[in-house]
Amino acid sequence: MIRLLLADDEELLRGALCSLLDLENDLQVVAQAATTTDTVRLAAQHRPDVAVLDLEMPPTDGLHAAAQILAGADGTPPRIIIVTRHARPAVLRRALAAGVSGFVPKSTPAARLAQIVRDVAVGHRYVDPEIAASALTENECPLSDRELEVLRAARTGAQVSEIAAAVHLAPGTVRNYLSSAMAKLGVATRHAAAHRAWEEGWI
Amino acid sequence: MIRLLLADDEELLRGALCSLLDLENDLQVVAQAATTTDTVRLAAQHRPDVAVLDLEMPPTDGLHAAAQILAGADGTPPRIIIVTRHARPAVLRRALAAGVSGFVPKSTPAARLAQIVRDVAVGHRYVDPEIAASALTENECPLSDRELEVLRAARTGAQVSEIAAAVHLAPGTVRNYLSSAMAKLGVATRHAAAHRAWEEGWI
DNA sequence: GGGCCCTGATGACATCTGTCATACGAGCTG
DNA sequence: CAGCTCGTATGACAGATGTCATCAGGGCCC
């Protein structure tokens, strides 16, 4: 019997997946969570074999939760499967770096999930083939850490002075980073750059 | 037997909901769609009793699909339930104006969906109580149609000239609309205004 | 130590943005 | 008809933004 932890902030999806997976008679959902904090707590408490985590979850995100679970486990940590709607190569890279075993976009047929869970439970890794292919062909994120940082701060439409305060840099420096990020992305405004970087899964 | 059309671009959710609802022995999923065009086509072809539509679907959205289904039906049109993650009062208003019978956020427990489908099938309407309460207390969108239009075009970080081209207005006029929208929303940049309007579900 | 790259910072300059006053025509209201 | 509002447009101006050259300090390699 494979013991599962299911984490997703959307009750509808989590509930539907729960009953779907519980139908399989070698799978058992032992805990459910809607937040990353609950996820980490319940993983430590129930020690599931496999944790299926949505990437987009408050208050942080699935990757943070995965890292915490893997770091905090004494003994063998659970295998972790990340499920996401925002399935971009860059996100896949970050997920694999965090040590997750499975990466599944929400465009995967529901029927296949149970099999992926079984594969991962016995130690295999599963990565959506489509995204894996993109990750191998698409170019890396061209932006530096600082550039990503200022773009993150620019996402809500803030002015330079606000961004500068948020990242603890001089306003002029922020403008330089924004400028180089825009040049790298081939766009004309910081906001277009932030939008683009977000779409690509870089921030 | 209640005949259902299920439309959602996420296979995972659609598949999970499908098996969940099929488990109920008075419900039967007769068609599934991942795009709004398929949704409209299959609704005409299968004439389901209830259509469960995700709001966020390519290439248009669930509300467009709902309007087309209701307009195109000869005889009694299907009852329509909109499911959405982005459940804001403004969206609810637009949905009700389009003639849908049910409005369900994705935070609804999966187990309750079957009952909502049954209620709607016999002619009741169902609106998530939480959102309905917000819709009654929260203030209306203060923006005019033109303001919303330019903000929509501004969302990707475009410059004034691009926005002007997109909405077929003079650049100066676009700036006036952006300016008044920013004033109404109490923000300092067009991008912050667009971000805000998006969060509120206005664009 | 001397050179070299990297990060963060500054200042100057052209351009873009946000604000505001104003204008003009369409439609409506008295 | 005169007066009014509304949508659209223009021009002017201050301030914000994007670009670029340049500089100071800190590691790092020879």
Side-chain angles (χ1 to χ4, degrees):
Chain A
M1 177 70 78
I2 301 174
R3 302 173 64 252
L4 288 174
L5 165 66
L6 222 54
D8 195 310
D9 58 325
E10 291 179 359
E11 299 264 348
L12 198 59
L13 178 58
R14 179 157 47 83
L17 282 184
C18 181
S19 51
L20 187 78
L21 293 173
D22 258 342
L23 281 183
E24 312 284 324
N25 44 30
D26 58 335
L27 304 182
Q28 183 192 5
V29 177
V30 297
Q32 295 188 41
T35 63
T36 53
T37 35
D38 280 359
T39 304
V40 173
R41 188 171 52 76
L42 291 173
Q45 184 179 331
H46 291 277
R47 307 175 133 282
D49 300 307
V50 177
V52 178
L53 312 185
D54 187 17
L55 181 63
E56 295 92 9
M57 253 193 307
T60 58
D61 67 54
L63 289 188
H64 278 91
Q68 281 186 270
I69 290 173
L70 292 174
D74 36 53
T76 51
R79 313 277 180 183
I80 294 182
I81 298 176
I82 291 285
V83 177
T84 178
R85 102 174 328 162
H86 198 66
R88 309 281 308 152
V91 182
L92 169 58
R93 283 206 186 83
R94 293 219 304 272
L96 291 179
V100 314
S101 304
F103 190 82
V104 182
K106 285 188 177 172
S107 58
T108 303
R112 200 183 299 160
L113 189 60
Q115 192 51 51
I116 295 174
V117 168
R118 288 189 196 100
D119 282 357
V120 166
V122 298
H124 293 143
R125 295 210 281 183
Y126 178 87
V127 168
D128 180 72
E130 187 106 10
I131 305 170
S134 307
L136 290 173
T137 56
E138 277 188 28
N139 9 7
E140 278 275 357
C141 168
L143 303 171
S144 71
D145 289 352
R146 277 302 197 194
E147 285 159 1
L148 291 171
E149 198 177 348
V150 294
L151 284 184
R152 245 188 300 275
R155 265 204 60 222
T156 53
Q159 295 172 247
V160 168
S161 56
E162 302 175 276
I163 302 174
V167 299
H168 305 295
L169 285 176
T173 308
V174 169
R175 287 206 277 159
N176 287 340
Y177 284 126
L178 289 171
S179 186
S180 68
M182 285 156 38
K184 286 178 181 175
L185 298 181
V187 297
T189 72
R190 81 182 64 154
H191 306 285
H195 192 82
R196 179 79 187 291
W198 162 252
E199 275 185 349
E200 295 283 349
W202 295 333
I203 58 178
Chain B
M1 178 69 76
I2 301 174
R3 301 172 66 252
L4 288 174
L5 166 65
L6 222 54
D8 194 311
D9 58 325
E10 292 178 0
E11 298 264 348
L12 200 58
L13 178 57
R14 178 157 48 84
L17 282 184
C18 181
S19 51
L20 187 77
L21 293 173
D22 258 342
L23 282 181
E24 311 284 322
N25 44 30
D26 58 337
L27 305 182
Q28 182 191 8
V29 177
V30 296
Q32 297 187 41
T35 64
T36 53
T37 36
D38 280 359
T39 303
V40 174
R41 189 171 52 77
L42 291 172
Q45 185 179 330
H46 290 277
R47 308 176 132 281
D49 301 307
V50 177
V52 178
L53 312 185
D54 186 19
L55 181 62
E56 295 92 9
M57 253 195 305
T60 57
D61 68 52
L63 289 187
H64 278 92
Q68 280 186 269
I69 290 173
L70 293 174
D74 37 55
T76 50
R79 314 280 181 181
I80 293 181
I81 298 176
I82 292 284
V83 176
T84 179
R85 107 177 319 171
H86 199 67
R88 309 281 308 151
V91 182
L92 169 59
R93 283 206 184 82
R94 294 218 304 273
L96 290 178
V100 314
S101 304
F103 190 83
V104 182
K106 284 189 176 171
S107 58
T108 305
R112 199 182 300 160
L113 188 60
Q115 193 51 50
I116 296 173
V117 168
R118 289 189 195 100
D119 282 357
V120 166
V122 298
H124 294 143
R125 294 210 282 182
Y126 177 87
V127 169
D128 179 73
E130 187 105 9
I131 305 170
S134 307
L136 291 172
T137 55
E138 277 187 26
N139 9 6
E140 279 275 357
C141 167
L143 303 171
S144 71
D145 288 352
R146 275 305 198 192
E147 285 159 1
L148 290 171
E149 201 177 347
V150 294
L151 283 184
R152 246 189 300 274
R155 263 205 61 222
T156 53
Q159 294 173 249
V160 168
S161 55
E162 302 175 275
I163 302 174
V167 300
H168 305 295
L169 285 173
T173 309
V174 169
R175 287 205 278 158
N176 288 339
Y177 286 127
L178 288 171
S179 186
S180 68
M182 284 156 39
K184 286 177 181 176
L185 299 181
V187 296
T189 73
R190 80 181 64 157
H191 305 284
H195 191 82
R196 178 78 188 292
W198 162 252
E199 277 186 347
E200 295 284 348
W202 295 331
I203 56 177

